[in-house]
Amino acid sequence: MRKIFVMTLALVLALASCSFADVKIGAGIYRFNDAFMLRFRNAMTAESGKLGATIEIADGRDDQPTQDAQIDGFLSGDVNVLIVNLVDRMAAQSVVDKAKSANIPVVFINREPSLEVLNTYSKAYYVGAKAEESGVFSGQLIADYFKSHPEADKNHDGKLQFVLLRGQNGHQDMILRSKYSVETIRDAGIEPVELAGAIANWDKLEAMKIMNAFIMSIGPENIEAVIANNDEMALGAVEALKAQDYNAGNPEMYIPVVGVDGNASALEAMDKGEMLGTVLQDAENQGAAAVRLALALAEGRDVNTIGYPITDGKYIWIPYQKITRGEKQ
Ligand code: BGC
Ligand code: CA
């Protein structure tokens, strides 16, 4: 047993230390100015460095034509593999077509193309997290709080009056987090009532302005929860609430706010009692998995040896985790 273990360990170490010095990854990120994608970029850079590969990362500046031009540049240059965080998920087919005709593998991240699109190219994959799972977890955070805090039902009607801050239109995380958070509350036996909802594009400042407007029109005393599709928007809502002395220490003036991502700034807000909880999205493992998969594809190696399981021949799924007050659940 021990001998086998030592031999396996030696093999794993040999694989881990093999260098990809000749491999160059061309990566397109939908927009650099995004807190979660910054974690993702850092993870990809770190993993590439660890494995001795080169990575060039381009800022799509939230504009699909800009990203298309960057991808064209990568394909006509010297990259061996693409990692793409699409600006617009609907552009996936055209990216796959280009990559396929150049015989360059492509790993999509964070913005999930349809399976039909992935199936048009044997070297097209997706690395991400299941959007539905994050929606269920954020619904559970709110439902658990509501059940253990009777005072959270401010108007004593047994229902949960909430406001919803949504991410960018068309993003699977926006659609499925919104849907499953609310459904999970209902499944927990609490009737959810959406007082107001709006798209805040994953953005803190936009969310703060929208939350301000909600506070003015609805009154903070009538809002029993804030559900945000990500941490940045949750933090924007917290800013708007704090400006009204809510979520600032007085238990009479508190609204539970939940986000998704588990960014450091959200964990800090949770430690201060400003935010109830979040759902950790593991950018570090997603980034490492995307790079390892890209390198295996670039070198024509077996993708089943990279340390992250491939599902349905096309996907690497990294699980989410619920977090309240710094505690993983
Ligand atoms: C994250 C957001 C991020 C978005 C970018 C989502 O998965 O939760 O924070 O802005 O991806 O596409
Ligand atoms: Ca109520």
Side-chain angles (χ1 to χ4, degrees):
M1 260 319 261
R2 198 185 153 82
K3 199 168 167 194
I4 293 176
F5 173 75
V6 171
M7 276 164 61
T8 316
L9 187 71
L11 179 70
V12 168
L13 288 176
L15 277 177
S17 66
C18 79
S19 170
F20 291 91
D22 298 331
V23 183
K24 182 168 175 187
I25 303 170
I29 297 296
Y30 94 96
R31 152 173 110 132
F32 275 9
N33 183 18
D34 178 296
F36 176 75
M37 292 315 302
L38 174 61
R39 276 172 59 200
F40 211 121
R41 275 194 282 148
N42 289 340
M44 292 198 299
T45 306
E47 190 68 13
S48 303
K50 215 165 81 187
L51 296 174
T54 307
I55 187 165
E56 187 183 326
I57 310 184
D59 181 359
R61 298 194 294 273
D62 211 10
D63 182 57
Q64 191 59 53
T66 299
Q67 184 173 69
D68 288 338
Q70 291 164 342
I71 290 170
D72 291 344
F74 284 144
L75 290 176
S76 60
D78 57 353
V79 309
N80 309 99
V81 57
L82 294 174
I83 295 180
V84 180
N85 170 218
L86 291 162
V87 175
D88 177 359
R89 279 165 76 213
M90 298 305 130
Q93 187 69 66
S94 96
V95 172
V96 166
D97 292 345
K98 285 180 193 174
K100 190 177 178 181
S101 58
N103 193 28
I104 296 288
V106 55
V107 176
F108 291 98
I109 54 168
N110 176 261
R111 293 172 172 212
E112 188 184 334
S114 70
L115 181 58
E116 292 74 60
V117 172
L118 293 177
N119 276 339
T120 61
Y121 184 27
S122 62
K123 294 179 195 168
Y125 288 79
Y126 179 70
V127 175
K130 291 210 166 138
E132 174 183 336
E133 186 180 42
S134 51
V136 169
F137 282 163
S138 51
Q140 285 174 357
L141 288 169
I142 290 288
D144 289 351
Y145 180 82
F146 206 66
K147 286 187 174 173
S148 56
H149 293 79
E151 76 282 6
D153 183 10
K154 292 176 178 159
N155 63 354
H156 312 289
D157 69 349
K159 303 175 188 173
L160 181 117
Q161 277 77 15
F162 69 96
V163 300
L164 181 62
L165 294 168
R166 298 194 183 87
Q168 264 175 324
N169 216 357
H171 197 304
Q172 79 280 345
D173 290 339
M174 172 279 208
I175 299 165
L176 297 172
R177 286 175 189 167
S178 300
K179 177 170 185 246
Y180 284 97
S181 54
V182 176
E183 272 182 19
T184 300
I185 292 168
R186 186 174 293 117
D187 290 348
I190 303 161
E191 190 182 326
V193 180
E194 184 175 329
L195 298 175
I199 288 182
N201 291 310
W202 307 119
D203 189 79
K204 182 174 174 179
L205 192 64
E206 264 187 68
M208 191 191 86
K209 290 178 184 160
I210 290 168
M211 189 65 201
N212 247 328
F214 289 168
I215 289 170
M216 297 309 155
S217 59
I218 301 167
E221 68 284 0
N222 298 314
I223 302 172
E224 297 176 346
V226 178
I227 303 173
N229 285 169
N230 78 344
D231 283 348
E232 283 295 293
M233 297 189 295
L235 291 169
V238 163
E239 286 306 310
L241 288 170
K242 278 165 64 185
Q244 308 296 322
D245 292 326
Y246 268 74
N247 294 29
N250 178 354
E252 305 282 303
M253 295 169 83
Y254 175 76
I255 300 176
V257 177
V258 294
V260 177
D261 283 340
N263 290 342
S265 47
L267 302 182
E268 267 167 44
M270 281 161 50
D271 289 340
K272 287 193 254 169
E274 298 170 353
M275 228 176 110
L276 172 67
T278 188
V279 181
L280 176 73
Q281 177 166 218
D282 191 344
E284 292 65 33
N285 269 303
Q286 288 185 36
V291 165
R292 286 199 212 168
L293 177 58
L295 296 179
L297 289 166
E299 298 225 309
R301 291 170 195 240
D302 181 0
V303 294
N304 295 301
T305 60
I306 63 171
Y308 292 95
I310 310 273
T311 308
D312 301 329
K314 286 289 180 196
Y315 299 98
I316 294 178
W317 296 116
I318 305 292
Y320 282 104
Q321 276 175 292
K322 262 188 292 186
I323 311 185
T324 51
R325 299 228 176 237
E327 295 297 321
K328 290 178 186 171
Q329 296 194 335

